[in-house]
Amino acid sequence: MYGLLRALLFRLDPERAHHVAVGSLARLSATSVGRRMLHAGFGARVEAPAQVLGLTFPNRIGLAAGFDKDATAWRGFAAMGFGHVEVGTITPLGQPGNPKPRVFRLPEDRAVINRMGFPGEGMAFAAARLQGPKPPGLVLGVNFGKNKDTPLEDAAADYLAVMNELAQYADYLVVNVSSPNTPGLRKLQTGARLEALLQALVARRDVLRAELGTGAGPLPLLVKLAPDLSDADLDDALEAIDHAGIDGIIATNTTLDRAGLRSPAKRESGGLSGAPLSERATRVVGEIYRRTGGKRPIIAVGGIMDVDDALRKIDAGAALVQIYTGLIYGGPGLVGRVARGLADSDV
Ligand SMILES: Cc1cc2nc3c(=O)[nH]c(=O)nc-3n(C[C@H](O)[C@H](O)[C@H](O)COP(=O)(O)O)c2cc1C
């Protein structure tokens, strides 16, 4: 079924195809009739609850950040069977992102290169889309970042602003310091800069949690890391994460590496995702698990194109997985297959 749809979508420019898909999903999920159609089309969500980060996830698969940047279609993705959906990256103010074209398919490699640069409508727009009831059981993550024009010295104020605005809607929060497409952002991933940023965010999260009261959940705060950190930088980042008391880690974002690619679009600058990232991301998950002694839950993302890829991430130490590029190449059916595969491996 998805083969035909994919053939049509792949005729469009990648970013246009993305907007068509997400826009259709957003429109369908906006009405109860549309939601019933989505449920009928996608089938029931695989129910295989997992306790992670103090939350109950209905199953172990989630939608990675960047697909639903402006939080317009998350209810539709929930209908697709995802146990969790991570919206964002959301910035304080709306911004255009990098000039187009900025997303490229690499079909021979089952990969994508993007240099989006956090285009989006900003946090007030997202807040309006996050209001209202959540699909039963869905765990909603909010991934946030800084505006391009904000100097690195002032980055903390941007992260705090989005957290203040959106924490009330989130089940978990993700600090994105690993996108390769916002100049300088990855400099926040190590050393004193990271520790200061994370300490400020954890302190604020604690205040927000208290303000939100007993009805609110544990509101875990996670950091999303790049797959391109040297061993020393990874240690450095993990030390800051440990000192600040961050709850969990998302590994990984896209890579700057281009080894072994065949598609002509490999020359494009930006972050690479999909099949060629799989092994590297799994290795990073394994390293983080080993270096943290399994103390902090890891959400693994990067090159999960089938059930076996997802199982390898769990074997490396992940508690949950997310997909992005796999959804483009494999279609919505991948969600249920991975959820089922991971559920079966639990017994
Ligand atoms: C077009 C595109 C946009 C993305 N935007 C974001 C983003 O805004 N924030 C983020 O944390 N990750 C973003 N990502 C990274 C994904 O969340 C994920 O970490 C990465 O693509 C690896 O997973 P995959 O191989 O399953 O795609 C983006 C990826 C793609 C392909």
Side-chain angles (χ1 to χ4, degrees):
M1 271 269 281
Y2 179 67
L4 186 63
L5 180 61
R6 192 177 88 167
L8 291 172
L9 286 171
F10 273 33
R11 285 184 177 197
L12 302 177
D13 157 77
E15 193 168 344
R16 175 112 192 78
H18 181 88
H19 284 301
V20 168
V22 174
S24 312
L25 206 52
R27 275 188 297 280
L28 277 172
S29 61
T31 65
S32 59
V33 176
R35 281 194 294 276
R36 274 204 296 278
M37 280 168 63
L38 288 175
H39 281 296
F42 294 132
R45 177 175 72 195
V46 171
E47 298 295 335
Q51 304 288 331
V52 183
L53 295 157
L55 301 167
T56 304
F57 289 75
N59 58 46
R60 291 191 193 271
I61 183 166
L63 179 72
F67 222 114
D68 190 13
K69 279 183 186 285
D70 283 323
T72 55
W74 54 281
R75 290 182 179 87
F77 286 107
M80 228 177 243
F82 284 108
H84 69 283
V85 173
E86 190 171 309
V87 299
T89 295
I90 296 165
T91 52
L93 303 174
Q95 59 179 23
N98 290 322
K100 294 178 188 172
R102 53 196 180 180
V103 187
F104 307 89
R105 287 186 204 101
L106 288 73
E108 296 89 339
D109 302 299
R110 289 189 302 148
V112 167
I113 290 175
N114 93 84
R115 49 171 181 269
M116 300 284 276
F118 299 162
E121 302 288 340
M123 63 185 184
F125 180 96
R129 266 96 207 142
L130 291 170
Q131 280 161 20
K134 266 201 299 198
L138 177 76
V139 174
L140 183 72
V142 172
N143 175 311
F144 53 104
K146 74 169 201 69
N147 278 116
K148 183 183 175 196
D149 293 341
T150 304
L152 274 194
E153 306 79 73
D154 302 334
D158 271 20
Y159 286 95
L160 286 166
V162 187
M163 205 161 117
N164 283 334
E165 179 89 12
L166 300 182
Q168 59 188 305
Y169 309 110
D171 294 308
Y172 72 87
L173 297 162
V174 184
V175 187
N176 183 5
V177 283
S178 51
S179 165
N181 302 313
T182 293
L185 191 81
R186 285 181 165 194
K187 289 197 182 131
L188 292 172
Q189 257 182 135
T190 49
R193 267 208 182 110
L194 181 63
E195 193 160 329
L197 172 67
L198 297 184
Q199 264 164 359
L201 291 173
V202 168
R204 186 65 205 154
R205 187 279 314 269
D206 291 349
V207 171
L208 286 166
R209 193 163 53 186
E211 278 175 12
L212 289 169
T214 47
L219 206 58
L221 183 61
L222 293 85
V223 177
K224 184 163 177 178
L225 295 177
D228 302 329
L229 293 169
S230 66
D231 282 358
D233 283 349
L234 182 61
D235 272 337
D236 213 33
L238 293 176
E239 198 177 302
I241 283 168
D242 192 48
H243 287 170
I246 286 288
D247 302 289
I249 297 163
I250 304 198
T252 68
N253 215 311
T254 54
T255 179
L256 296 173
D257 186 44
R258 294 291 188 268
L261 298 178
R262 295 186 298 144
S263 311
K266 68 183 177 190
R267 283 182 225 98
E268 298 293 343
S269 65
L272 173 76
S273 58
L277 172 59
S278 197
E279 246 184 79
R280 175 184 282 254
T282 305
R283 198 167 354 109
V284 174
V285 168
E287 278 302 310
I288 295 172
Y289 187 82
R290 195 173 64 77
R291 286 164 202 245
T292 55
K295 224 166 53 183
R296 283 171 218 286
I298 303 167
I299 303 182
V301 50
I304 296 176
M305 313 302 279
D306 58 33
V307 178
D308 285 343
D309 291 330
L311 287 169
R312 277 192 279 274
K313 295 285 196 280
I314 300 285
D315 286 346
L320 303 164
V321 301
Q322 295 179 336
I323 60 169
Y324 189 132
T325 307
L327 193 58
I328 297 172
Y329 285 94
L334 181 62
V335 182
R337 283 200 302 280
V338 169
R340 170 62 48 217
L342 297 185
D344 290 347
S345 78
D346 268 352
V347 287

